[in-house]
Amino acid sequence: MDFVGSGITGVVMRRSGRVGVVMVAALLAVGALGLPGVGAAPVAFSPTPVAGWSTNGPVYAVLIVGDTVYAGGNFTQVRGPGGSPTMARSRLAAFDIHTGAVRAGFSADANDVVRSLATDGTRLFVGGSFTTIKGVSRSRLAAVDLSSGAVNTGFSANTNSHVYALRVSQARLFVGGSFTTIKGVSRGKIAAVSTTSGAVDGAFNPNANDAVHGIVVSPDGTRVYVGGDFTTIGGVSRPYIATVSGTTGALQSLVFQHSSYGPVIDLDISPTGDRVYAALGGTENQVITWNTGSGNRMWFYQVDGDTQAVKLFGGNVYFGFHEGAIGDGTVRMLVADAATGALVNTYRLPINSFYGVWDIDASATALVLGGEFTTVNRTSVQGVAILPSGAVVPSTSTLVAAGSTWRYLDNGTNQGTAWRAGTFNDSAWKQGAAELGYGDGDEATVVSFGPNANQKYVTTYFRRQFSVDPSTLSTVTLQLKRDDGAVVYLNGTEIVRSNMPAGTITSTTLAADAGTTENQFFSYTIPTSALVNGSNTLAVEVHQTNRTSSDVSFDLSLAATGR
């Protein structure tokens, strides 16, 4: 939530079904949104969608093919800007990516919901819950012409239940869903078929025990990453995400760290195949990324509702969800740096529906959202929003980079309040590069917890100076990694309080709780009025939740946009 009278926006996290608010200090009235996190690529898409044609119901799948946007969902009509004219289109439609106008020549009406789309460049593959498409009998999976929507009669791969995921790799179409047969062949929720005929690949048979919602394939085709509701693959425990052979579907040894958090709703993969990005539902509500070599979790970000869509493009990860995030019930899509997870805070669009964004696609031409909204950034666009490229991106500068060198004190002493001021002499303190901490094995600088592992120091202190002329800045954003809690001071004044109790903070004050967010950067908008011309001092105290806590983590970045 945004705290009235504060110049800083807090981050709302959901953990174990409850909402916890990261408390921050009150400064000034809430102002503009923040800036890109350090290292995050600017978003090149306009924040205002094309005022094109809309649907009269939710869109669950969007796909860009050249200059056409395909949208599938549960609608029966498309409508021009302002609500007219109207055209009958049942659950599948195509739009011009530049103008948003409906492609009148494309018609492929389905008799039930369309849930997934894919292409091999010559045909559009359609998956869902339908049993007919364009009047032709096709049970839940079909191939249609990209221009006309005519059903490809040579392709047939009927399933006995819903299709949720489609992914093309070379001459094969990977199909995921809740089915147990495809083209009459027994397959447990996932199969591979020929893109030309729909013939089932007899070798590929992973056999999941529950629905598959996401599929991505490594660039060389040797690995298939599968996500969904399942808890076993091939009879072996692999909750929600698994890696299987691209040839046989045999379960691979790679296990993703913390992969049992919640069902996977969507997946994407980096162009080199070194990272997999997932949208999680259940109680976890995360976008998360893993290293595909080690299975290590690289970063994650939690929101208030299920994360339903994830798309990697241009060095950023676009993720859509329902309910809200960062204390704002109008936020249903966020953008994060693909490498670090730092939020791109300049691109936050108000979206007016609780259920928000169900699918995302992107190209050099446009960013496309599909969902249950009727407006995006106050523009009337129901079901599908096309956000063209060419946005003007403000120049940004780094004031303090993540991984910077900090002075620190780790001897367990009570520093009172004098240490927060810019005039304080910290020359006797140690110094080292962030991440600073202990216990996780990823620290650039290991700090001391004292002589007794059962009575660790509660508080560790950090200081750093930087120079700036605040009159040249329009907005400033602070990104904070802390485990367990922290208070940040700028020039002696508290500006951020994260996972710490209210009231006076001393060297023995414990963090509010241990939490599950030790690898995450939290984003705060800082008023430029908190800065002074010339040298500025950041002072940070990091607190443990108890004296036996196993680890401490600290890193911080500060970035600004110019006037």
Side-chain angles (χ1 to χ4, degrees), residues 187-563:
R187 284 293 184 271
K189 325 299 184 188
I190 181 171
V193 302
S194 164
T195 55
T196 55
S197 67
V200 177
D201 184 329
F204 185 81
N205 188 14
N207 191 25
N209 73 331
D210 207 340
V212 168
H213 290 280
I215 302 171
V216 290
V217 184
S218 64
D220 62 5
T222 60
R223 281 181 170 183
V224 177
Y225 302 95
V226 185
D229 300 326
F230 57 83
T231 56
T232 68
I233 289 275
V236 178
S237 177
R238 280 291 191 279
Y240 309 128
I241 186 164
T243 308
V244 302
S245 163
T247 304
T248 67
L251 184 66
Q252 304 294 284
S253 59
L254 178 68
V255 176
F256 288 114
Q257 180 189 24
H258 303 297
S259 61
S260 61
Y261 275 2
V264 170
I265 299 175
D266 196 16
L267 288 173
D268 205 357
I269 190 170
S270 64
T272 60
D274 64 327
R275 290 195 179 193
V276 164
Y277 300 87
L280 304 187
T283 60
E284 295 307 319
N285 309 330
Q286 297 178 11
V287 61
I288 187 170
T289 180
W290 292 284
N291 181 291
T292 58
S294 64
N296 288 341
R297 183 184 64 183
M298 307 306 294
W299 59 263
F300 69 97
Y301 195 88
Q302 289 177 294
V303 295
D304 296 348
D306 289 350
T307 307
Q308 300 157 167
V310 60
K311 178 66 181 179
L312 172 66
F313 184 81
N316 285 322
V317 175
Y318 298 79
F319 55 105
F321 42 88
H322 72 251
E323 194 167 340
I326 56 173
D328 189 343
T330 71
V331 173
R332 277 129 190 155
M333 187 196 73
L334 288 171
V335 188
D337 177 69
T340 66
L343 289 185
V344 183
N345 291 323
T346 46
Y347 201 80
R348 241 175 238 175
L349 313 179
I351 296 174
N352 74 329
S353 165
F354 175 86
Y355 285 104
V357 175
W358 284 105
D359 199 19
I360 302 172
D361 201 7
S363 72
T365 305
L367 173 71
V368 179
L369 313 180
E372 297 197 36
F373 47 79
T374 59
T375 67
V376 172
N377 201 15
R378 301 172 187 86
T379 300
S380 180
V381 281
Q382 183 171 354
V384 59
I386 301 171
L387 299 135
S389 63
V392 177
V393 179
S395 62
T396 64
S397 60
T398 301
L399 304 179
V400 177
S404 291
T405 297
W406 292 74
R407 291 279 186 180
Y408 66 95
L409 187 69
D410 60 350
N411 63 6
T413 59
N414 180 3
Q415 289 298 295
T417 60
W419 69 280
R420 305 168 185 170
T423 54
F424 179 80
N425 183 2
D426 59 13
S427 60
W429 288 22
K430 302 174 187 176
Q431 59 181 338
E435 180 176 334
L436 298 109
Y438 60 78
D440 292 325
D442 58 354
E443 300 85 6
T445 302
V446 176
V447 304
S448 174
F449 57 71
N452 187 343
N454 293 316
Q455 287 292 317
K456 295 184 178 76
Y457 301 145
V458 170
T459 304
T460 309
Y461 300 93
F462 304 90
R463 285 173 50 89
R464 179 179 171 82
Q465 281 79 37
F466 65 95
S467 294
V468 70
D469 178 358
S471 68
T472 66
L473 307 179
S474 60
T475 52
V476 179
T477 288
L478 183 149
Q479 302 267 357
L480 171 68
K481 179 188 284 190
R482 50 65 180 161
D483 179 16
D484 294 307
V487 184
V488 182
Y489 306 90
L490 179 60
N491 301 319
T493 299
E494 181 180 330
I495 58 169
V496 169
R497 184 176 294 211
S498 181
N499 196 33
M500 293 293 293
T504 301
I505 301 296
T506 72
S507 64
T508 59
T509 303
L510 298 175
D513 61 67
T516 59
T517 54
E518 59 192 50
N519 293 316
Q520 180 175 321
F521 278 89
F522 293 86
S523 180
Y524 305 92
T525 301
I526 307 301
T528 58
S529 58
L531 299 164
V532 297
N533 190 22
S535 180
N536 289 258
T537 300
L538 281 167
V540 185
E541 51 186 300
V542 175
H543 292 247
Q544 288 282 39
T545 190
N546 59 64
R547 289 185 176 271
T548 60
S549 181
S550 62
D551 53 3
V552 159
S553 300
F554 167 69
D555 199 355
L556 183 151
S557 68
L558 199 66
T561 53
R563 292 187 183 278

Side-chain angles (χ1 to χ4, degrees), residues 120-135:
D120 62 356
T122 62
R123 54 183 71 82
L124 178 70
F125 298 101
V126 185
S129 306
F130 54 86
T131 55
T132 66
I133 187 166
K134 207 174 175 76

